[in-house]
Amino acid sequence: MKTVLVTGGTGFIGSHTVISLIENDFDVIIADNLINSKKEVINRLHTITGKQIKFYNVDCCDKEALSLVFKENDIDSIIHFAGLKAVGESVSKPLEYYSNNINSMLTVLELMREFNVKKLVFSSSATVYGQSEDVPFTEQSPLGMCTNPYGWTKWMIEQILKDVAHADPSLSIVLLRYFNPVGAHESGLIGEDPQGIPNNLFPYISKVAVGTLECLTVFGDDYDTPDGTCLRDYIHVCDLAEGHVKALNYIDTHKSGVEVFNLGTGKGTSVKEAIAAFEKACGHSINHVFGPRRAGDLPVCYASTDKAREVLGFEAKRDINDMCSSCWNWQQKNPNGLSD
Ligand code: NAD
Ligand code: UDP
């Protein structure tokens, strides 16, 4: 059984990926400092998978502490999810974002070198495509012109990984550019659990649906799109999780270098369509008003999925209704999220 170190494994995408890894016979170790997640996730993962997962409460920027994880385990590959991800917060706290996201990646790379670990999957984002309006985004689309420090950390880490892989041809690295991950595991035991008022559409809609928040503001209905609201490529987090297993399998057969894949559905859904789908899932209307545009929002963003399909054999299976119903199931069962 191959051992995968999942940094950030108690977070939203990491926790769902841990389930897919276990279902595919990987042995999993989680390293997370719980800065944006709860230890209770480990208990929930135990309930779902029947496995007691080895968990280290460790900051991935702390080399000495993280090196223990490498010493105590025979790590075959790493999926590096650990990082801060709130776009708005990154604008007000750029130092925290650059420091955490880049140092955690550098520390993992240094330890990979010391402990002879060769395989890495990195959580990148469609945000590296910046302000281009030329959709769909293919892996060859121009990068940069990011609108916030969070996006720049992803862009910089991609560059770091390309340089490191160039210098050491024994490394095999996959960069996964996620589009908009939403939804939750079918059990309703784990899901997205943002602290405070959510910035993203789906957590916000869920909180209005469950009654924690009063009203959703739709940021702009005067875009040049079919219904005037922005289109995004929402992808079910369980599909995304399966994409990571495909990426690890690919790395095993792929000798060296860096390969990049978009993970999306290839379809754009508007804010109005997302609200309507959620209303169908929860069985009541979602209170919303139309407000001004949000600075930096692209009108349309969706992935070209050709490369992931052709090379990884990855295709998203779940649709927007599955995303909304699983999100609602999780929200209803955990109206206040998780507590420790
Ligand atoms: P999340 O915040 O739920 O998970 C990230 C996890 O990393 C958290 O559990 C947090 O406690 C942990 N963490 C942060 N800094 C750490 C550090 N220094 N040491 C150890 N643990 C640390 O976020 P998510 O939505 O699951 O995202 C996972 C990754 O995917 C992130 O790198 C994020 O930037 C990237 N990503 C997310 C999205 C999205 O919309 N959710 C889109 C594109 C890319
Ligand atoms: N959005 C909105 N109201 C909100 C949050 C988001 O209308 O409270 C819109 C946002 O303008 C964008 C879409 O929903 O068009 C998706 O936003 P999100 O922040 O989830 O993803 P991103 O824009 O980062 O892709």
Side-chain angles (χ1 to χ4, degrees), residues 7-14 31-37 58-61 80-85 100 104 122-126 150 154 178-181 192 200:
T7 73
T10 47
F12 172 47
I13 305 170
D32 199 303
N33 65 355
L34 304 175
I35 194 168
N36 197 38
S37 55
V58 64
D59 185 336
C60 294
C61 301
H80 184 56
F81 291 104
L84 299 173
K85 64 159 182 177
N100 187 68
S104 61
F122 173 64
S123 298
S124 191
S125 165
Y150 165 72
K154 295 295 177 192
Y178 312 151
F179 280 67
N180 289 61
E192 193 167 9
N200 299 109

Side-chain angles (χ1 to χ4, degrees), residues 282-330:
C282 72
H284 62 263
S285 62
I286 306 288
N287 192 15
H288 62 280
V289 293
F290 293 95
R293 293 180 177 196
R294 180 172 70 177
D297 269 345
L298 283 179
V300 180
C301 175
Y302 61 93
S304 161
T305 56
D306 294 350
K307 187 177 176 192
R309 187 177 51 254
E310 285 159 18
V311 182
L312 292 182
F314 171 78
E315 207 156 10
K317 298 193 284 268
R318 298 156 178 96
D319 66 13
I320 191 77
N321 295 314
D322 302 320
M323 300 178 211
C324 292
S325 56
S326 61
C327 199
W328 177 234
N329 181 37
W330 149 254

Side-chain angles (χ1 to χ4, degrees), residues 1-22:
M1 220 184 229
K2 286 183 173 159
T3 300
V4 187
L5 170 62
V6 181
T7 73
T10 47
F12 172 47
I13 305 170
S15 58
H16 288 82
T17 302
V18 165
I19 297 171
S20 285
L21 290 169
I22 290 173

Side-chain angles (χ1 to χ4, degrees), residues 62-277:
D62 181 344
K63 191 169 175 189
E64 208 182 314
L66 191 62
S67 72
L68 251 193
V69 181
F70 284 74
K71 271 186 203 132
E72 291 180 0
N73 301 282
D74 183 15
I75 296 167
D76 179 65
S77 55
I78 299 175
I79 308 182
H80 184 56
F81 291 104
L84 299 173
K85 64 159 182 177
V87 169
E89 189 183 59
S90 79
V91 176
S92 55
K93 296 182 174 172
L95 280 180
E96 281 78 356
Y97 272 69
Y98 284 116
S99 170
N100 187 68
N101 291 4
I102 291 176
N103 285 330
S104 61
M105 185 74 263
L106 292 175
T107 306
V108 166
L109 286 168
E110 283 169 14
L111 289 168
M112 283 175 68
R113 183 169 60 184
E114 280 172 34
F115 288 85
N116 211 28
V117 179
K118 301 293 183 188
K119 306 172 197 169
L120 173 72
V121 176
F122 173 64
S123 298
S124 191
S125 165
T127 190
V128 297
Y129 294 121
Q131 287 295 286
S132 165
E133 296 199 1
D134 194 10
V135 285
F137 292 113
T138 75
E139 288 80 355
Q140 311 303 324
S141 294
L143 305 180
M145 305 280 285
C146 301
T147 54
N148 55 77
Y150 165 72
W152 283 116
T153 67
K154 295 295 177 192
W155 182 87
M156 287 175 190
I157 292 170
E158 286 203 2
Q159 187 58 46
I160 290 169
L161 292 174
K162 287 172 195 165
D163 292 341
V164 169
H166 178 74
D168 179 358
S170 69
L171 290 173
S172 184
I173 298 177
V174 166
L175 312 180
L176 296 177
R177 294 184 184 144
Y178 312 151
F179 280 67
N180 289 61
V182 299
H185 188 257
E186 59 181 11
S187 63
L189 287 171
I190 57 167
E192 193 167 9
D193 186 17
Q195 309 303 302
I197 299 193
N199 299 301
N200 299 109
L201 182 66
F202 267 75
Y204 207 107
I205 294 183
S206 311
K207 292 213 178 287
V208 174
V210 82
T212 317
L213 291 172
E214 237 169 65
C215 181
L216 168 78
T217 301
V218 176
F219 298 142
D221 63 346
D222 58 350
Y223 284 97
D224 184 17
T225 58
D227 67 16
T229 64
C230 295
L231 267 61
R232 292 288 179 277
D233 187 341
Y234 299 101
I235 175 168
H236 197 298
V237 66
C238 294
D239 279 327
L240 195 70
E242 287 160 16
H244 290 76
V245 174
K246 302 261 186 196
L248 280 184
N249 291 338
Y250 169 80
I251 279 185
D252 261 338
T253 55
H254 164 80
K255 285 168 198 62
S256 79
V258 175
E259 208 55 68
V260 188
F261 298 98
N262 287 337
L263 291 184
T265 63
K267 272 181 58 183
T269 300
S270 75
V271 179
K272 282 185 184 168
E273 288 169 333
I275 296 171

